[in-house]
Amino acid sequence: MSDPQRVLTPRNEAKPPFFVGVDLGGTNMKIGVVDDKAQTLSFLVVPTEVEKGPVDATRRMADAIHAAILHAGLQQTDIMRVGLGSPGTMDIPTGKFISPANFPGWEGFAIRSTLAEFSKLPVSYDNDANVAAFGESWVGSGREYDSMILLTLGTGIGCGIVIDGRTLIGYSSHAGESGHNIVDPSDDARLCGCGKRGHFEAYASATAVARRTYDLLETNQVPTSLHQRIDVEKMTTLDKSKLPKLVWEEARAGDELSLQIIRETAKWLAIGMTTLMHTIDPHCVLIGGAMTFGGPGDPIGDMFLETLKAEVTKRVYPILAERTIIKYAELGADAGYLGAAGVARADYYAAKGQ
């Protein structure tokens, strides 16, 4: 699914108060200045450079925040709060990393208080899946619903849950780690990236699609155009994150094995969603991330979503099948910084008793 085109709002057309949203990733930080209606006034992308350490990265993050404020035609005093979303693992109430997998050397770093010190602004903190879900809930596909789940399909499966305008965090800051829900209890279930077997993302993530595709190519005798795109003998050197795109392209060309892989992915996704729906009872479940097989309006993307809905209907209570909305997310890569700004906005109004 392509990201929406970002339209910057002129300062004189914006509605105060103003907030800054920061989406911290392993490669880049995305920083946007946002008004009270989620209109973006300025937007910057700067490299994270994880290897330089958390203090250096946070100092550059603060510098980029100040630059974005100036680009928006504002002063620091115009900004009510900064929102920061980052990958985990983390302790959200204390604002610290615990052991973030893709940030070696950042263990135990107090990122929220350090950013507040460097930026001279109050900071709200949440994980990246939660802020993306909050963005969709605030101004995206979930804006009409008071409870929603966002599942982002990529290398793993991210999950953010928003109920009555607040993200669900949990006692240990691990609510929504639903990519590690069990979908296959067998002893020989597929191995998840975390080292455990049978987890949701071992079956329905982009990495899982790559592994399942290779297994089928090694054993399936049905003619498939995928053999012309993928060298199974070099599977360890291929970027597995790119393989779902190849499957989608061949499915669009009518390749039956590619279509089978996408239908099976919808089935596994439905199995994982069933547990979430029975636990949370959301008004809406959104599907986003890099792996949507073309997304809304694409024939394969539409087929994927309709197959998913049908597979969910087979498994959930009838009232959930009837009342839960399942559709694609719409903010794309902008959900992170918009949602982070939205979390900051929610904390600002909560502090004012509004």
Side-chain angles (χ1 to χ4, degrees):
M1 180 174 63
S2 61
D3 295 332
Q5 183 175 352
R6 188 180 303 103
V7 177
L8 300 183
T9 298
R11 166 69 177 87
N12 62 350
E13 296 180 14
K15 184 181 186 304
F18 302 103
F19 307 90
V20 176
V22 181
D23 180 9
L24 174 62
T27 303
N28 293 312
M29 313 176 210
K30 299 174 183 176
I31 298 165
V33 176
V34 173
D35 76 354
D36 201 45
K37 295 181 178 179
Q39 299 178 116
T40 300
L41 281 71
S42 68
F43 178 79
L44 295 176
V45 178
V46 296
T48 303
E49 298 180 298
V50 172
E51 69 282 357
K52 292 184 178 180
V55 174
D56 178 84
T58 307
R59 192 179 302 278
R60 288 185 293 103
M61 184 188 298
D63 290 344
I65 287 170
H66 292 144
I69 293 169
L70 291 177
H71 286 322
L74 301 173
Q75 302 297 317
Q76 181 173 319
T77 53
D78 293 316
I79 304 300
M80 297 298 104
R81 200 169 186 89
V82 174
L84 169 63
S86 78
T89 55
M90 62 186 64
D91 185 330
I92 293 172
T94 64
K96 295 181 179 180
F97 281 117
I98 297 177
S99 182
N102 296 320
F103 291 73
W106 292 45
E107 294 82 359
F109 179 65
I111 190 167
R112 183 181 65 200
S113 61
T114 305
L115 180 59
E117 177 187 349
F118 289 167
S119 68
K120 308 303 181 187
L121 289 165
V123 177
S124 297
Y125 183 50
D126 210 330
N127 73 48
D128 54 354
N130 278 353
V131 299
F134 196 94
E136 291 289 347
S137 177
W138 184 24
V139 289
S141 290
R143 59 188 174 274
E144 299 176 10
Y145 315 110
D146 57 9
S147 62
M148 55 150 279
I149 297 170
L150 171 66
L151 291 172
T152 54
L153 310 181
T155 304
I157 294 180
C159 176
I161 300 167
V162 180
I163 300 174
D164 294 331
R166 305 298 294 185
T167 59
L168 187 64
I169 294 173
Y171 176 69
S172 300
S173 303
H174 275 60
E177 288 290 344
S178 303
H180 302 286
N181 287 355
I182 298 295
V183 296
D184 184 351
S186 60
D187 291 339
D188 61 348
R190 290 184 178 273
L191 195 65
C192 181
C194 72
K196 306 293 185 181
R197 291 192 179 275
H199 288 188
F200 189 14
E201 68 178 47
Y203 289 82
S205 65
T207 304
V209 168
R211 289 171 178 160
R212 287 174 28 235
T213 300
Y214 282 123
D215 289 347
L216 287 169
L217 290 178
E218 286 183 321
T219 60
N220 198 297
Q221 302 302 312
V222 177
T224 171
S225 57
L226 285 173
H227 280 300
Q228 300 166 14
R229 304 290 303 274
I230 302 167
D231 187 341
V232 177
E233 294 181 358
K234 296 180 179 178
M235 61 175 289
T236 57
T237 61
L238 179 69
D239 182 352
K240 295 180 178 61
S241 66
K242 297 179 180 178
L243 196 143
K245 183 173 184 290
L246 299 182
V247 172
W248 165 65
E249 289 172 351
E250 297 310 304
R252 289 201 67 178
D255 180 65
E256 186 53 43
L257 186 64
S258 299
L259 289 165
Q260 175 188 329
I261 291 166
I262 292 172
R263 293 189 191 104
E264 288 180 355
T265 302
K267 174 184 173 182
W268 284 113
L269 184 57
I271 291 170
M273 280 176 55
T274 296
T275 297
L276 284 169
M277 290 169 65
H278 285 151
T279 304
I280 304 297
D281 185 15
H283 194 164
C284 175
V285 181
L286 302 180
I287 307 300
M291 191 185 72
T292 56
F293 302 108
D298 181 272
I300 303 301
D302 290 345
M303 180 273 289
F304 177 61
L305 189 66
E306 291 307 310
T307 303
L308 171 62
K309 292 178 181 178
E311 293 289 347
V312 166
T313 298
K314 293 178 185 178
R315 292 170 172 81
V316 300
Y317 279 137
I319 192 169
L320 296 180
E322 177 184 344
R323 300 185 65 177
T324 307
I325 307 297
I326 300 172
K327 61 181 180 177
Y328 283 119
E330 67 181 47
L331 296 181
D334 288 348
Y337 84 85
L338 286 171
V343 168
R345 176 180 178 271
D347 285 349
Y348 167 75
Y349 280 116
K352 291 171 64 69
Q354 299 181 18

